[in-house]
């Protein structure tokens, strides 16, 4: 079974939702049969790379809330993250473009290190002091920590078209599936779960999707002996 997760590194509910989903997956009896694939989604597409501002300022300008409301929201998110065992800085974080991070995640996917890099990016953005925005060397350090080659990561960041098509393709697919927010979880292209739901919701979705997998239907030829094939006892040998 395949679970695809559309998310953005700048999305606090994606950070929390990933932890909740993983909690459900750990307790799922068929977890070894589940493939998890992370897909790109930008909350602020088209934002300039050098357009970086404090999170509180972004919230007040984008959503028209007061600074007090924005701070209260960050405090609530910090509490939600703590409940999942995650560190979360409620003050002093900043916000910017995540496009380059998504491009690096596609590089990491090719090398089987996507999950590792995503976790590092989330932690760096939400729990650590040093910014991940408008700082290529910071991203190279995180890529290296995920066991990617530093020079390869640096070359990707220096080339604005590297993996850009892959990021945009993920985003188009999200739109086609009806995702207008993240996190967005798609199970076997049959079920969608929107938002950072409780682990119990993810557990039910996994059980339902797994139980409703379509069994393989064999197309019979009408020949009682069946067509020639190879099996544990060898291959059918044509008779004269």
């Amino acid at each position: 079974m395949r679970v695809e997760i559309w998310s953005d590194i700048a999305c606090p509910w994606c950070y929390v939702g990933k932890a909740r989903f993983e909690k459900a997956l750990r307790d799922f009896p068929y977890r070894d049969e589940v493939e998890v694939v992370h897909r790109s989604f930008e909350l602020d597409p088209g934002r300039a790379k050098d357009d970086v501002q404090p999170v509180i300022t972004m919230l007040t300008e984008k959503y028209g809330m007061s600074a007090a409301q924005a701070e209260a929201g960050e405090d609530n998110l910090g509490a939600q993250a703590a409940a999942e065992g995650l560190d979360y800085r409620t003050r002093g974080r900043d916000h910017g473009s995540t496009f380059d991070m998504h491009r690096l995640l596609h590089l990491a996917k090719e090398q089987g290190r996507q999950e590792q890099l995503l976790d590092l990016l989330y932690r760096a953005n939400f729990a650590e002091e040093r910014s991940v925005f408008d700082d290529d060397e910071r991203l190279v350090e995180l890529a290296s920590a995920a066991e990617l080659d530093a020079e390869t990561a640096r070359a990707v960041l220096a080339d604005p078209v590297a993996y850009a098509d892959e990021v945009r393709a993920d985003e188009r697919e999200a739109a086609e599936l009806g995702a207008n927010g993240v996190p967005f979880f798609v199970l076997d292209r049959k079920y969608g779960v929107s938002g950072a739901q409780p682990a119990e919701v993810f557990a039910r979705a996994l059980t339902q999707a797994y139980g409703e997998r379509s069994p393989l239907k064999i197309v019979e030829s009408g020949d009682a002996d069946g067509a020639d094939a190879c099996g544990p006892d060898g291959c059918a040998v044509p008779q004269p």
Side-chain angles (χ1 to χ4, degrees):
M1 184 169 72
R2 169 180 276 204
V3 178
E4 297 162 278
I5 307 174
W6 273 264
S7 60
D8 191 13
I9 299 92
C11 166
W13 287 118
C14 296
Y15 181 47
V16 172
K18 184 176 187 293
R20 291 176 178 172
F21 171 76
E22 289 173 347
K23 180 179 179 181
L25 186 61
R26 280 195 301 271
D27 295 333
F28 185 57
Y30 307 106
R31 61 185 175 275
D32 292 340
E33 299 177 44
V34 178
E35 176 193 12
V36 178
V37 178
H38 295 280
R39 303 288 193 188
S40 298
F41 190 104
E42 293 171 276
L43 290 175
D44 207 350
R47 189 182 187 102
K49 183 172 180 175
D50 60 356
D51 184 4
V52 181
Q53 63 183 153
V55 166
I56 299 299
T57 302
M58 180 274 294
L59 292 172
T60 59
E61 292 181 356
K62 187 172 183 178
Y63 300 106
M65 60 179 66
S66 68
Q69 289 172 321
E71 290 173 354
E74 283 294 286
D75 290 340
N76 175 57
L77 281 163
Q80 297 278 348
E84 304 303 329
L86 301 171
D87 293 329
Y88 189 99
R89 295 177 65 233
T90 61
R91 300 292 185 273
R93 293 192 304 106
D94 55 14
H95 176 80
S97 171
T98 57
F99 186 59
D100 283 350
M101 298 180 217
H102 286 295
R103 295 196 300 119
L104 282 179
L105 284 166
H106 277 279
L107 167 67
K109 180 183 176 183
E110 285 186 348
Q111 301 187 20
R113 308 300 298 173
Q114 186 187 47
E115 189 85 28
Q116 291 82 355
L117 179 57
L118 182 59
D119 284 339
L120 287 165
L121 288 168
Y122 273 141
R123 178 169 180 80
N125 183 42
F126 290 108
E128 298 175 0
E129 290 189 18
R130 187 177 170 190
S131 177
V132 294
F133 299 104
D134 193 24
D135 185 352
D136 283 358
E137 283 309 303
R138 174 64 166 145
L139 296 182
V140 169
E141 289 175 13
L142 293 168
S144 296
E147 298 181 15
L148 298 176
D149 179 71
E151 289 307 314
T152 301
R154 194 173 282 113
V156 167
L157 292 171
D159 179 1
V161 302
Y163 299 99
D165 288 345
E166 288 83 348
V167 174
R168 298 308 183 207
D170 276 357
E171 293 174 336
R172 284 194 301 272
E173 196 164 12
E176 291 166 2
L177 290 169
N180 52 21
V182 285
F184 188 68
F185 302 76
V186 176
L187 292 77
D188 261 356
R189 290 299 170 109
K190 284 186 175 181
Y191 296 98
V193 179
S194 180
Q197 300 286 348
E200 294 79 9
V201 173
F202 288 122
R204 288 198 300 270
L206 286 165
T207 299
Q208 186 170 356
Y210 187 87
E212 295 185 13
R213 290 178 305 158
S214 298
L216 186 68
K217 291 181 173 61
I218 304 298
V219 178
E220 300 291 351
S221 66
D223 183 349
D225 295 328
D228 294 334
C230 295
D233 297 323
C235 298
V237 178
Q239 299 299 315

